[in-house]
Amino acid sequence: MCGIIGLVGSSDKFPLKPGIMVYRGLLRLEYRGYDSAGVGSVTSKGVQILKGKGSIRELEKKLCLSCIDGAIVIGHTRWATHGAPSDTNAHPHTDCNNKIAVVHNGIIQNYQELRDILIGKGHIFRSETDTEVVPHLIEEIYRRLGDFYESFKRAISMLKGSYAIVVITSYEPDKLFFAKKDSPLIIGLGDGFNLVASDIPAILEYTRYVITLRDNWIGYVSSNKILIEDLADSRVVEWKKLVRTVEWSIEDAVKGGYPHFMMKEIHEQPRALKETLYGVQRDPAIVKAVELLARADNVYITGAGTSYHACYYYSILSSILAKRLVYSFIASEYSVYASTADKPDVLIVVSQSGETMDALKALRAFKEKGVSIIAVSNVVDSAIPRESDLAVYTRAGPEIGVAATKTFTTQTLVLSWLSIALGQGTGALTKSEAEYYRGWLKKSAEIVAKTISWNEALAMELADWMRKKRSVYYLSRGIGVPIAMEGALKLKEIAYIHAEAYPAGESKHGPIALVEEDFPVIFIVPEHRELEKALLGNIQEMKARGASIIGVAAESTSLSNYFDYWFKIPSSHWILTSISHILPQQLLAYYTSVKRGFNPDRPRNLAKTVTVE
Ligand code: F6R
C-alpha cells in the first residue's frame, strides 16, 4: 500500500504553491506508507525529482520536498513491497532520459519479464522496484510511436497485476496521466487546477469535488480538461455525471469514513489478504524456506502477542499438513529453547513490525547457535527481516490501530501457504492435495468479506450485553485454540474485560469452577467434524452450569441448537479457521470497547511496537 498525489493547473489559480499542496497531501496519506517518499515536477530540462528513504517529515527537513517548483507536481509515500526502503527504491521512478516520471501503488506481477526485455533493449535500471519498468516501457514505446498518450495506453495494457499509476512527462508538460486497476485512485476537481490521488484526505483541503475512478480506466487531466477512457473497450467515459461532493471532515477522511483505524483495518482485510496472496504465490523466499525447513533437525517458531498466536497456529498446521512437529514458543521465553538449539535447526520469527525486542532477542540467541532464521514480517527491511537469513512478507499495509487485526489474518495466510508448500515439498501432501488446500486459501478474501457483513450487526448487539461482564472464556480444540487465544487477547486489550482462552478439554480440570448463570463462553468451532463432535460435550458441560454460549461456527454446523448466540461463518474449510473465525471476535472486541466508552485505537498501557524487553 502506498499513497499517491498529483497536481496540475495554471500558476495563478493554485491556493498555495503546488509543492506545498503536494507535500501537505502526502502528510495526509502517510497512513498508507511511510518508509520513503518523493516528489517530481516537469522543468525545461526534463523531470526534477526529490526523493529518499525516511518519513515525509524527515525528508522535508533534508530535501525540502515542498520547495519543488512547477505547475505540475506528483508525490508518493511508499510502503515497500519490491525492494527494501532506500533512496533509489523511493518513487518517482524515471526513464533513461529523465523525461518521464512515474508514481505507483500496487504490484506489477510481470515486472521481471518486462524488465528483462527492456534491459535487452539497452534500458538502464536504477532500482529494485517493480514500478521502474513503467517509465522504461513507456519510453520504449514512445521511441517508435512519438505519441505520448498512445504510448502510455499501450504500456499500461501490457501490465499484469494491480496498479494506480500517475505519470508526468516533459513531452507533454501540461498533463497528468493516470491509470487504475485494483488499487484506488480518485480525481479531485479544483478551480483552474485538478488533482489525482489515492484517497480523499490528500485533496480535501483543496476541493470537495471528486470522481472515483474504476478499474481499467485510463486518461489524463490538465488545468482545464479531463479525459477518461475505459481501456477494456476504448469508450470515452462521461465523467461529468460521476462527480460527487465529499461531506467528510479531514479527520473523518483519514479514517476513510470509519470512526476508528481498527474498524477501517478490520474492513481492509479482504484487500490485505488478496495482496498478501499475490505476493506469496510468487515469492521465491517460500521455495528457499521449504528447502531450509525440509532439511532442519528441529523447527522452532516464535513471536509475541498476536504474532505468537499465528506461530501456534502454524505449529498445528505443520503437524497436520507437513507431518512435521514444530516447537512454538513465546518470544520472551527464548532462553529455554535456545539452550538446546543447534546448527541444523531452523527458527521462524513472526513479527508484524519486525522490531519487537523480545522476538529480536530470540532471533539473536538462536543465530548465535548457528540456527537458520526465517522472518515473517509486514515491514520490509525492519530489524527482524534484516537480521534473518530469509524473509517472507505479509502485504497488509500499515496498521495504525494498536490491536493487530489485518496483520494476524495475513500472517496466518502466509504461514498456511508455507505449511502447504512444505507438505508438498516433503511428500506429506500430493500435488493435488496441496492444490486443493491452496484453492481454499485463494477464497480467503471472499469468505472474510462475507463474514464481516454477516456478523457486524450481531457483534454490535452482543457488545451491549458483553460490556457489563467481568470475565469471559474462549474455548476451542485443535486448530481453533490459537484463534480462541487471539479472540481473548482482543477483548482483554481493548475492552479491558478479563478474557481467558484454553483448550476446551481443560474446562473440567479447574476453570469451570468460575462458571455461573449467564457467564459468557465463546466457542470457536472449526469446520471439522471430529472437532465439532469433541466440542459438543464441552458445550453441554458449560450449559449445565448456566453459561451463555456464543458459537463461532460455520453455517453447516451441527451445534447451532446449543448456541444462545451464533456468529455464522460462510461454509468453507477448516484451513481458513484463522481467517474466518477471528473476524467476529475482532468485531465483538471492537464494539464492546466502544460501548464501554474506550478508544479501541489507543488501548491503555500498550504501544504498537514494543522495542523494550
Ligand atoms: C495485540 C498486539 C500485540 C502484538 C505484539 C507483537 O493486538 O498487537 O500483542 O502482536 O506486541 O508485535 P509484532 O507482531 O509487531 O512483533
Side-chain angles (χ1 to χ4, degrees):
M1 206 158 88
C2 303
I4 291 177
I5 179 167
L7 171 65
V8 56
S10 331
S11 309
D12 56 332
K13 293 285 190 177
F14 295 116
L16 294 167
K17 265 189 69 190
I20 295 176
M21 289 172 74
V22 164
Y23 171 68
R24 285 163 70 145
L26 282 180
L27 287 176
R28 304 258 184 230
L29 289 174
E30 209 169 11
Y31 75 91
R32 301 182 65 82
Y34 41 72
D35 57 42
S36 50
V39 292
S41 72
V42 180
T43 68
S44 52
K45 294 195 199 88
V47 289
Q48 182 200 358
I49 307 289
L50 298 173
K51 65 177 186 173
K53 179 180 171 177
S55 72
I56 299 165
R57 281 189 179 80
E58 281 162 15
L59 289 165
E60 175 66 1
K61 276 197 208 128
K62 202 163 116 190
L63 306 171
C64 195
L65 302 177
S66 65
C67 300
I68 196 151
D69 241 355
I72 179 159
V73 182
I74 53 176
H76 186 270
T77 178
R78 180 166 185 247
W79 179 259
T81 54
H82 292 78
S86 70
D87 291 349
T88 40
N89 288 339
H91 297 213
H93 290 285
T94 53
D95 63 327
C96 297
N97 290 315
N98 234 31
K99 303 266 191 210
I100 303 167
V102 175
V103 286
H104 163 227
N105 169 32
I107 299 164
I108 294 168
Q109 289 169 12
N110 58 338
Y111 84 98
Q112 193 60 54
E113 197 181 311
L114 293 170
R115 191 177 161 118
D116 293 344
I117 296 170
L118 290 162
I119 289 173
K121 290 185 186 282
H123 288 258
I124 310 284
F125 280 75
R126 306 172 191 101
S127 78
E128 302 154 291
T129 63
D130 52 340
T131 304
E132 201 187 343
V133 296
V134 181
H136 290 284
L137 189 58
I138 303 172
E139 177 182 40
E140 181 60 32
I141 301 171
Y142 183 75
R143 269 186 205 150
R144 282 186 284 114
L145 294 188
D147 175 328
F148 191 82
Y149 182 49
E150 196 48 43
S151 310
F152 174 62
K153 283 207 285 191
R154 290 203 192 174
I156 295 295
S157 62
M158 292 169 73
L159 305 180
K160 291 194 184 128
S162 60
Y163 48 78
I165 287 176
V166 179
V167 178
I168 52 172
T169 175
S170 47
Y171 298 121
E172 300 232 17
D174 58 346
K175 293 189 183 101
L176 269 180
F177 297 88
F178 62 81
K180 179 223 170 328
K181 183 170 165 275
D182 289 336
S183 297
L185 201 62
I186 56 166
I187 295 177
L189 293 84
D191 180 10
F193 63 93
N194 287 307
L195 302 119
V196 179
S198 300
D199 204 352
I200 292 167
I203 61 166
L204 203 52
E205 218 183 321
Y206 316 122
T207 179
R208 288 185 171 272
Y209 301 110
V210 303
I211 303 167
T212 304
L213 296 172
R214 315 261 159 83
D215 281 347
N216 295 314
W217 284 7
I218 190 165
Y220 58 81
V221 296
S222 64
S223 57
N224 54 13
K225 183 172 178 196
I226 296 176
L227 174 80
I228 307 176
E229 290 183 283
D230 192 328
L231 203 54
D233 56 11
S234 302
R235 170 181 62 94
V236 173
V237 174
E238 293 289 333
W239 58 264
K240 286 195 175 133
K241 288 184 274 182
L242 304 175
V243 179
R244 67 187 172 95
T245 310
V246 178
E247 305 294 349
W248 294 345
S249 68
I250 290 268
E251 171 67 3
D252 288 340
V254 173
K255 294 182 186 141
Y258 292 101
H260 298 100
F261 280 109
M262 182 177 174
M263 198 35 138
K264 176 167 180 269
E265 286 156 7
I266 288 174
H267 281 265
E268 270 172 7
Q269 288 179 101
R271 173 184 291 276
L273 288 161
K274 250 193 220 166
E275 300 220 335
T276 299
L277 203 59
Y278 258 163
V280 86
Q281 280 176 287
R282 286 152 190 85
D283 193 346
I286 292 282
V287 178
K288 290 187 195 142
V290 168
E291 281 166 17
L292 278 179
L293 292 166
R295 54 170 197 259
D297 269 3
N298 295 303
V299 176
Y300 301 86
I301 184 164
T302 196
T306 293
S307 291
Y308 167 69
H309 299 148
C311 295
Y312 184 7
Y313 189 76
Y314 175 78
S315 69
I316 299 171
L317 274 188
S318 171
S319 48
I320 301 173
L321 299 176
K323 304 279 178 274
R324 189 75 219 245
L325 183 68
V326 170
Y327 300 98
S328 69
F329 64 90
I330 289 176
S332 54
E333 288 296 306
Y334 68 85
S335 56
V336 178
Y337 300 86
S339 62
T340 56
D342 208 353
K343 210 177 170 70
D345 295 346
V346 171
L347 173 72
I348 306 174
V349 184
V350 182
S351 172
Q352 182 284 125
S353 61
E355 303 286 348
T356 298
M357 188 47 75
D358 287 335
L360 200 52
K361 285 269 185 176
L363 181 160
R364 288 175 183 159
F366 275 70
K367 208 169 171 181
E368 230 166 65
K369 295 291 207 80
V371 170
S372 305
I373 316 286
I374 302 170
V376 176
S377 182
N378 193 39
V379 182
V380 176
D381 210 29
S382 51
I384 289 169
R386 247 189 351 251
E387 295 192 23
S388 298
D389 298 290
L390 205 59
V392 184
Y393 289 103
T394 51
R395 292 166 193 241
E399 195 170 62
I400 314 279
V402 168
T405 51
K406 58 178 180 168
T407 54
F408 176 71
T409 46
T410 50
Q411 277 171 351
T412 56
L413 178 69
V414 164
L415 292 167
S416 304
W417 194 272
L418 182 61
S419 28
I420 298 168
L422 181 64
Q424 190 178 351
T426 57
L429 292 178
T430 62
K431 189 165 178 253
S432 68
E433 283 168 338
E435 275 310 317
Y436 169 76
Y437 287 120
R438 277 193 283 264
W440 281 110
L441 295 186
K442 288 179 189 163
K443 294 196 170 147
S444 56
E446 183 194 317
I447 300 286
V448 159
K450 258 197 204 165
T451 307
I452 297 175
S453 72
W454 287 11
N455 290 292
E456 195 149 8
L458 177 59
M460 216 183 294
E461 183 196 323
L462 212 55
D464 246 342
W465 169 75
M466 190 63 99
R467 78 191 163 94
K468 298 173 206 130
K469 299 291 173 193
R470 289 182 48 216
S471 205
V472 184
Y473 282 158
Y474 285 71
L475 306 185
S476 189
R477 282 178 181 261
I479 196 101
V481 175
I483 310 314
M485 291 164 75
E486 176 57 9
L489 177 62
K490 289 287 90 92
L491 190 73
K492 192 161 25 194
E493 69 180 331
I494 61 169
Y496 316 145
I497 293 175
H498 171 247
E500 203 179 322
Y502 54 89
E506 275 291 285
S507 303
K508 52 193 172 301
H509 299 290
I512 202 162
L514 277 190
V515 176
E516 54 190 5
E517 200 57 36
D518 210 24
F519 186 101
V521 183
I522 301 184
F523 275 91
I524 314 305
V525 185
E527 202 170 341
H528 187 288
R529 205 162 328 130
E530 295 307 312
L531 294 176
E532 270 208 6
K533 248 203 263 167
L535 282 168
L536 174 59
N538 305 121
I539 294 175
Q540 283 169 327
E541 272 160 25
M542 289 293 166
K543 255 192 128 47
R545 270 96 191 156
S548 293
I549 308 295
I550 300 141
V552 182
E555 48 184 336
S556 57
T557 184
S558 57
L559 303 180
S560 58
N561 287 342
Y562 300 91
F563 300 152
D564 296 295
Y565 303 96
W566 180 13
F567 284 118
K568 209 182 272 184
I569 309 290
S571 278
S572 61
H573 190 276
W574 61 259
I575 199 169
L576 290 180
T577 306
S578 64
I579 294 167
S580 53
H581 286 50
I582 195 59
L583 257 294
Q585 304 183 70
Q586 293 173 347
L587 291 166
L588 181 61
Y590 170 83
Y591 282 112
T592 309
S593 166
V594 171
K595 296 218 168 171
R596 297 194 80 208
F598 304 124
N599 177 352
D601 282 346
R602 299 214 190 104
R604 67 185 178 210
N605 308 335
L606 295 176
K608 184 72 189 156
T609 306
V610 186
T611 51
V612 289
E613 260 185 282

